[in-house]
Amino acid sequence: MPRVKLQRFHDNATRPDIIEPGKPEYEQLGGRWRTDFFRAPHPLTLEVGCGKGEYTVGLAQRHPERNFLGLDIKGERIWRGSTRAAELGLTNVGFVRMRAEALAAQFGAGELAEIWITFPDPRPRDRDIKRRLTSPRFLALYEQLLAPGGLLHLKTDNEGLFEYTLETLAVRPGARVERFTRDLYAEAGPEFAEAQAIQTNFEGKYRAVGVPIKYVQFRLS
């Protein structure tokens, strides 16, 4: 393993804003993230599959009155998000290294106010449908962890995943799409301003070659 990567893994093990396997707090904070981790009773927003943390950090900058967590399985990615948050002096953001499938082990029922899913792997093969982050399997998990009426957001460049998500929501009892667009940056209304406010490097590359960004905001109950 390259020396730089080893150093970053060591950094993660010592950083209080990163929760990962091997730390005593891992799987011990469910239902207590706001009181024991953030020590602030603000609403908690989770980004599932946060990558380098650009979106999680951007949201934390925009909303100092809220708490934000980025979740990803790759330690080197969340090292970057943690580093950026420290450079900005943010205290309302943290990261947890784990797979999304294990969310129920980390969060209590109704603990989350909001969930963002930004540019996930579209999992285009039929045999991978259950691994899509907007599949019925994951929607059931999100519904368990969200407070009643909690919001979810999906941003994606992938048309197939976007249409699959809309179709899945259309047949799910209790699900309600608040707004959606197949070309986010062509929208001028204030209802899309929050989704337009943060642009990841990945997102910028797709926009630069003319790929429209899709967005949907929805609730599950």
Side-chain angles (χ1 to χ4, degrees):
M1 184 179 293
R3 183 176 300 176
V4 170
K5 184 175 286 190
L6 282 173
Q7 180 59 51
R8 290 175 178 178
F9 287 168
H10 173 76
D11 291 345
N12 287 355
T14 64
R15 291 185 178 184
D17 64 331
I18 294 178
I19 301 300
E20 62 179 0
K23 291 190 174 183
E25 305 95 333
Y26 189 72
E27 293 190 0
Q28 300 298 316
L29 288 167
R32 299 185 290 111
W33 280 94
R34 290 182 295 172
T35 57
D36 292 11
F37 182 79
F38 289 103
R39 291 178 169 78
H42 305 315
L44 177 57
T45 295
L46 176 72
E47 183 187 2
V48 180
C50 69
K52 298 176 183 178
E54 295 166 283
Y55 223 88
T56 300
V57 171
L59 287 169
Q61 282 184 280
R62 285 177 56 79
H63 299 285
E65 76 287 359
R66 300 175 70 93
N67 297 321
F68 294 90
L69 274 174
L71 179 152
D72 205 280
I73 192 59
K74 299 291 188 180
E76 189 173 18
R77 293 176 184 171
I78 61 175
W79 177 90
R80 293 178 182 273
S82 169
T83 299
R84 181 59 177 158
E87 290 171 351
L88 294 169
L90 299 174
T91 60
N92 63 330
V93 59
F95 297 89
V96 55
R97 184 168 70 83
M98 60 175 293
R99 295 189 182 278
E101 291 87 344
L103 274 168
Q106 280 287 4
F107 297 94
E111 186 169 20
L112 301 176
E114 202 166 7
I115 293 174
W116 282 82
I117 308 166
T118 55
F119 303 95
D121 188 331
R123 307 288 184 187
R125 296 180 296 184
D126 288 345
R127 69 181 185 182
D128 285 337
I129 285 177
K130 68 179 182 179
R131 299 178 66 191
R132 295 174 187 169
L133 290 182
T134 55
S135 69
R137 168 196 183 194
F138 278 103
L139 294 181
L141 185 54
Y142 304 149
E143 186 171 16
Q144 174 187 341
L145 303 180
L146 281 165
L151 274 176
L152 297 98
H153 312 258
L154 169 71
K155 287 179 76 173
T156 180
D157 60 285
N158 187 272
E159 184 174 352
L161 177 64
F162 184 73
E163 297 301 331
Y164 166 81
T165 301
L166 293 180
E167 292 166 6
T168 301
L169 292 172
V171 299
R172 182 176 180 83
R176 183 172 79 251
V177 172
E178 298 287 339
R179 54 186 56 88
F180 72 94
T181 175
R182 292 178 174 84
D183 192 349
L184 175 61
Y185 293 97
E187 302 288 347
E191 64 270 24
F192 293 104
E194 179 79 340
Q196 294 168 336
I198 302 169
Q199 180 175 298
T200 67
N201 182 60
F202 180 87
E203 184 176 357
K205 289 179 179 178
Y206 273 95
R207 290 190 66 200
V209 295
V211 176
I213 304 303
K214 294 84 175 168
Y215 169 74
V216 56
Q217 180 190 107
F218 59 100
R219 303 179 196 268
L220 294 174
S221 63

